[in-house]
Amino acid sequence: MSIYTIFESLERYSMKLENYIRDIADFPKPGITFKDITPLFLNHEALVSCANQLAELSPKEIKIDKVVGIEARGFILGSMIAERLNAGFVPVRKKGKLPYETKSKNYGLEYGEDTLEIHIDAIKPGEHVLIHDDVLATGGTANAVCSLVEELGGIIVQCSFIIELGFLKGRERCQAPLVSLLKY
Ligand code: AMP
């Protein structure tokens, strides 16, 4: 076991990130248990630990050119991961929010349907990309973002999440290597 692995295990153990996740019943609609990660963002040590762990889980042998963060909670740790990996940050936003020319993709959510957009010049063909979001649920969002990145010619190295809702089997829809810090 490497020194880093020991350090990471200690960091995970000592932080107990799950203590900073709050379940909100029936939000945003009946039957959904919403994983509220704002308590984690409120705590400096938990926030930094999360960013460090996700950055360390990215493959070391490939230089990540861009981290793509998914609106809106994916922006927070996505930009912190980008900073740690010396990569650029790309926001993927809901329809109509990005000012320049975009590519867009419709997708299905655990609760509804939406459209995501990316600037057409955000990723250059052949660039290595890490996609980050807070929660993997059904995988529809991550799948749509993977398509957008690939349509721009990006190579997806990893999809990373704070939380994975394993019972919704989003992992099965994701073609790219996938990591998450907490599984429910
Ligand atoms: P999905 O496309 O079904 O994987 O849904 C993932 C997206 O919806 C992420 O951007 C999450 O922020 C959000 N999301 C879906 N389900 C939940 C949940 N139970 N708690 C918190 N966020 C969720």
Side-chain angles (χ1 to χ4, degrees):
M1 188 185 270
S2 72
I3 287 184
Y4 171 70
T5 313
I6 295 167
F7 174 72
E8 192 200 29
S9 306
L10 282 173
E11 193 175 43
R12 276 182 199 236
Y13 180 74
S14 59
M15 278 315 298
K16 288 198 185 314
L17 291 179
E18 59 272 29
N19 290 344
Y20 299 89
I21 309 296
R22 179 164 58 189
D23 279 3
I24 309 288
D26 299 320
F27 182 88
K29 66 180 198 184
I32 302 291
T33 301
F34 191 85
K35 295 290 181 194
D36 178 18
I37 53 167
T38 59
L40 190 152
F41 292 156
L42 277 178
N43 183 285
H44 177 255
E45 284 180 7
L47 180 63
V48 169
S49 169
C50 220
N52 287 344
Q53 289 181 49
L54 288 171
E56 285 299 335
L57 285 171
S58 74
K60 296 292 159 292
E61 63 283 7
I62 302 169
K63 167 80 183 80
I64 304 288
D65 300 300
K66 302 277 168 59
V67 174
V68 171
I70 306 175
E71 182 170 355
R73 292 176 296 275
F75 291 173
I76 297 156
L77 276 160
S79 55
M80 292 176 76
I81 297 165
E83 188 273 331
R84 282 158 172 74
L85 298 180
N86 298 314
F89 177 78
V90 177
V92 163
R93 299 208 62 185
K94 304 277 168 61
K95 190 177 173 59
K97 299 284 188 183
L98 287 171
Y100 184 59
E101 202 178 326
T102 59
K103 264 195 180 298
S104 40
K105 191 68 70 186
N106 290 319
Y107 67 108
L109 268 178
E110 187 187 1
Y111 41 81
E113 199 173 282
D114 223 330
T115 302
L116 286 173
E117 296 185 334
I118 191 169
H119 274 154
I120 54 160
D121 61 351
I123 291 162
K124 296 186 176 49
E127 282 192 325
H128 292 108
V129 176
L130 185 152
I131 295 171
H132 171 76
D133 202 2
D134 62 335
V135 175
L136 176 72
T138 65
T141 307
N143 213 20
V145 175
C146 286
S147 300
L148 286 172
V149 168
E150 283 173 345
E151 282 171 28
L152 292 178
I155 299 163
I156 302 163
V157 174
Q158 185 180 75
C159 292
S160 86
F161 304 88
I162 305 170
I163 295 171
E164 177 178 352
L165 302 179
F167 58 92
L168 291 172
K169 304 196 188 306
R171 184 178 278 271
E172 291 173 14
R173 291 179 72 179
C174 192
Q175 307 293 314
L178 190 153
V179 296
S180 61
L181 297 181
L182 296 170
K183 295 186 185 66
Y184 292 89

